[in-house]
């Protein structure tokens, strides 16, 4: 298992971690198998979406912030209930297939760390299992 | 890794891909392990839900279309930001357990390809890992 | 594959299943690999979120119940369309990494069975794959 460290610089934002994950897969020696990406936080998430136009990431963030506002009638006293909700909706783990020693993604797909309660120091755990 | 091809015929709709995934698992020779279903698109998704009453799929689609409309104050110029948001909310990968050479699902579960920006030619990637 | 049984006592609620999953992993003999958690139901889900303040789980439930009400203009006649929608949004499968014969989670993470149409008798399937 490899640990990637990320410093986020805003309350909410997406960070492209595709290249780092490709590097872990390339160094693993696994030819065919599965790559697991896991976020060990409860106010962040991981998602796959378009890597071409950054406006797509902004539209996803704007939608989440509009429908799940930071301020609301929440019980949790830390002021980040919206971030916990967003984390469960997008999810904290995903799988990508490894073929011919490479991560296989669609043409327009990138893998994004999703910060919802930053800025913070964050971790991403990446593991690889061969067939 | 096997590739399944789907032609969708509407802007948004669910296609049952359970039988095709069962067939890949059956032909793989794997007795116990894991099946990964991965959608290599950013305006589509995969979900597991009820396979008995098609109204359930319509209710999920109606809910998504009502809460995440096609037209809105989005930045992305292609007119499909809603589809990108829906893709991240439902997700593009999932896991199913393989036991005794079969996919194990609950009684009422089917696996659905979710089109949010069709009609298009789409792909589903299916891979199998034995224990 | 191990099956865990849960009796839920309300229409909607979260049940912490982290200890049971840790136990399955500990008994599996797998040192490094992957644990799959799969919910074989279409009106329930599984999520990872904060294990310290139970208000976080209540905030997630309140949000879902407010935005996806039990009563609405749904087609499905069983009166639980909201539960099917919530199931697809949170998801019915997830992965956790196994390292040194233990499930590795973030400090504040617990794994929760999410009931959306209880009270019912429910199942959770847990499987483990070594590297």
């Amino acid at each position: 298992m490899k640990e990637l460290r990320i410093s986020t610089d805003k309350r909410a934002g997406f960070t492209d971690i595709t290249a780092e994950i490709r590097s872990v897969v390339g160094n693993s020696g696994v030819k065919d198998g599965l790559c697991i990406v896991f976020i060990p936080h409860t106010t962040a998430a991981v998602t796959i979406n378009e890597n071409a136009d950054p406006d797509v990431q902004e539209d996803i963030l704007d939608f989440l912030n509009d429908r799940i506002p930071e301020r609301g009638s929440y019980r949790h006293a830390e002021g980040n209930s919206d971030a916990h909700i967003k984390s469960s909706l997008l999810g904290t783990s995903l799988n990508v297939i490894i073929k011919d020693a490479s991560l296989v993604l669609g043409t327009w797909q990138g893998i994004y760390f999703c910060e919802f309660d930053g800025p913070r120091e964050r971790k991403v755990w990446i593991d690889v299992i061969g067939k």
Side-chain angles (χ1 to χ4, degrees), chain A:
Chain A
M1 188 182 90
K2 297 291 176 186
E3 184 172 283
L4 173 68
R5 290 176 177 260
I6 296 175
S7 297
T8 61
D9 59 3
K10 286 183 290 193
R11 183 164 196 267
F14 282 22
T15 304
D16 189 340
I17 54 175
T18 316
E20 289 83 354
I21 297 169
R22 281 195 189 283
S23 168
V24 170
V25 169
N27 292 332
S28 72
V30 166
K31 193 173 172 298
D32 293 292
L34 175 65
C35 175
I36 304 116
V37 182
F38 186 88
I39 309 297
H41 306 288
T42 61
T43 53
V46 62
T47 198
I48 294 178
N49 218 300
E50 179 172 321
N51 60 11
D53 179 3
D55 279 349
V56 169
Q57 302 154 40
E58 291 301 313
D59 281 336
I60 298 172
L61 272 175
D62 284 352
F63 169 82
L64 291 171
N65 288 332
D66 183 65
R67 301 309 200 278
I68 314 169
E70 184 177 353
R71 307 284 167 226
S73 56
Y74 302 116
R75 300 163 192 237
H76 183 52
E78 291 184 18
N80 60 0
S81 286
D82 67 305
H84 288 288
I85 295 166
K86 290 163 187 164
S87 174
S88 275
L89 286 176
L90 264 64
T92 54
S93 75
L94 58 79
N95 288 338
V96 188
I97 296 167
I98 300 169
K99 194 182 163 189
D100 299 332
S102 289
L103 205 65
V104 282
L105 289 171
T107 312
W108 307 108
Q109 289 185 314
I111 306 177
Y112 293 89
F113 176 85
C114 311
E115 174 64 83
F116 296 126
D117 189 35
R120 289 185 190 231
E121 301 298 309
R122 298 292 204 173
K123 296 171 190 169
V124 178
W125 293 342
I126 303 162
D127 210 353
V128 170
I129 294 185
K131 282 202 184 179

